Amino acid sequence: MRCLPIIIYEKKGFRLKTGMIISIAKTSESNSSLCQCQQCKKSGVHSSTSGKIFVLTSSTVVYDDNEAEKSCFNLFYDSHSNEAYNLYGSRVSERNVNEGWCIVECATCDSILLDKLDTTIKHCSIAMADFNKVIPREQTMFVCIVSHPHDFPKQITMGATKIRECFGSKVYTDFTRYTYTNTTCHGSAGAFVYIHGVSDISAKQFHVHLGVTRARHNYCNIGKENKIQ
C-alpha cells in the first residue's frame, strides 16, 4: 500500500508528528485563481497554476488556522539520504474534535507534485479497497501504521487489534475506537491507522493514532466504519 506520511513541524512547540495526504484539488482553467502558497507570497509573483493538498492528522497536532500557517510538512522523507519536499499549511480545512481528526489545507503551484500525489492517492485507495475485499474481515484485524517515530525516516509497523469500543451508531455506520499491538512513539501521533476491512479514505472512514494509554495500549481516535454485517 502506497501512502504519503509526513512530519509536522510547528514552531511554537517543535511538535514533530505524522500525517497523511488524503486528497488534492487542482484549479481548473475556467476557475483559475492566483496561487497563495508561501513561495508565491514571499516573491510577490503569484503563479496562475494553483492547487490544494489536504493533510489528515490528529486534532491534537494542529489546533487552528494560526498553527496551520506555521506548520511545515516534509514529504518523501523515506530515508536519511532523501531530500524532503517542504510543504506549508494554509488553514484548517476541517477539524472534528469529537472524532479526534483534523485536515489541513496546503496551497501549491507545483503541478508536477500535484500530478504525482494524485496518482499515488488513487493507487493507495485502489490497493486498500482490493486488500479489504480479498481477505475476509475477522474479529482480530490486521493493523498497519506508517509514521516517523523520533523524527526518523518513514517506519512501518504491523500489528493487530486488541479492543474495539463502539460509541453509538447510525443505520450503516459505527463509531469506533481501537487499541492495537503496533509499536509506536510520540512522533507517531497523527499517523493514519490502516485497519483491515475498516479503513476507507474516500468515505472519510479513517482512524488516526493518538498515543498510548496508561495500560501501555496503543490507541486511535473515534472513527467511522461500516457496520459488520
Side-chain angles (χ1 to χ4, degrees):
M1 180 180 69
R2 299 179 67 189
C3 60
L4 295 165
I6 53 181
I7 293 177
I8 298 173
Y9 167 71
E10 204 284 314
K11 292 182 179 179
K12 184 174 70 175
F14 293 96
R15 294 201 296 270
L16 294 165
K17 306 296 181 182
T18 303
M20 179 177 176
I21 294 172
I22 58 171
S23 66
I24 67 152
K26 298 179 183 178
T27 303
S28 63
E29 293 182 3
S30 60
N31 186 31
S32 61
S33 59
L34 296 179
C35 181
Q36 298 299 316
C37 73
Q38 192 172 104
Q39 183 177 350
C40 285
K41 286 182 177 180
K42 284 184 177 180
S43 67
V45 180
H46 294 265
S47 172
S48 58
T49 301
S50 64
K52 298 175 182 178
I53 297 172
F54 298 93
V55 180
L56 169 70
T57 188
S58 165
S59 60
T60 61
V61 173
V62 179
Y63 291 88
D64 52 31
D65 288 343
N66 182 52
E67 289 201 353
E69 290 177 358
K70 295 176 182 177
S71 297
C72 176
F73 302 84
N74 303 142
L75 279 62
F76 315 120
Y77 183 36
D78 297 339
S79 68
H80 288 296
S81 60
N82 275 39
E83 184 175 348
Y85 185 106
N86 292 334
L87 185 69
Y88 296 91
S90 300
R91 68 184 186 93
V92 172
S93 175
E94 294 182 67
R95 187 168 184 264
N96 190 318
V97 178
N98 293 329
E99 293 183 20
W101 55 267
C102 174
I103 296 176
V104 179
E105 178 185 309
C106 305
T108 183
C109 54
D110 189 334
S111 59
I112 296 176
L113 175 66
L114 288 168
D115 288 340
K116 181 176 182 178
L117 294 178
D118 188 31
T119 300
T120 304
I121 291 167
K122 288 175 181 176
H123 281 315
C124 179
S125 297
I126 292 170
M128 194 180 298
D130 288 345
F131 189 64
N132 285 341
K133 292 176 183 177
V134 170
I135 303 176
R137 181 172 171 176
E138 299 178 355
Q139 188 171 357
T140 300
M141 292 169 283
F142 167 76
V143 178
C144 177
I145 299 176
V146 183
S147 66
H148 293 274
H150 304 292
D151 190 23
F152 287 163
K154 180 174 69 178
Q155 305 287 318
I156 301 174
T157 62
M158 309 293 188
T161 56
K162 289 178 66 70
I163 300 171
R164 178 180 184 267
E165 298 177 86
C166 194
F167 295 85
S169 62
K170 295 183 179 180
V171 178
Y172 299 108
T173 308
D174 282 331
F175 290 84
T176 57
R177 180 169 61 200
Y178 289 86
T179 61
Y180 33 84
T181 61
N182 301 58
T183 301
T184 63
C185 84
H186 295 299
S188 302
F192 175 74
V193 180
Y194 170 76
I195 303 172
H196 173 249
V198 171
S199 302
D200 185 347
I201 295 174
S202 61
K204 284 191 176 179
Q205 291 180 191
F206 41 64
H207 293 77
V208 295
H209 179 70
L210 295 184
V212 182
T213 67
R214 290 183 178 180
R216 307 306 298 169
H217 293 154
N218 290 286
Y219 72 100
C220 60
N221 69 318
I222 299 173
K224 293 188 292 186
E225 65 177 86
N226 290 332
K227 278 183 173 292
I228 299 175
Q229 301 299 321

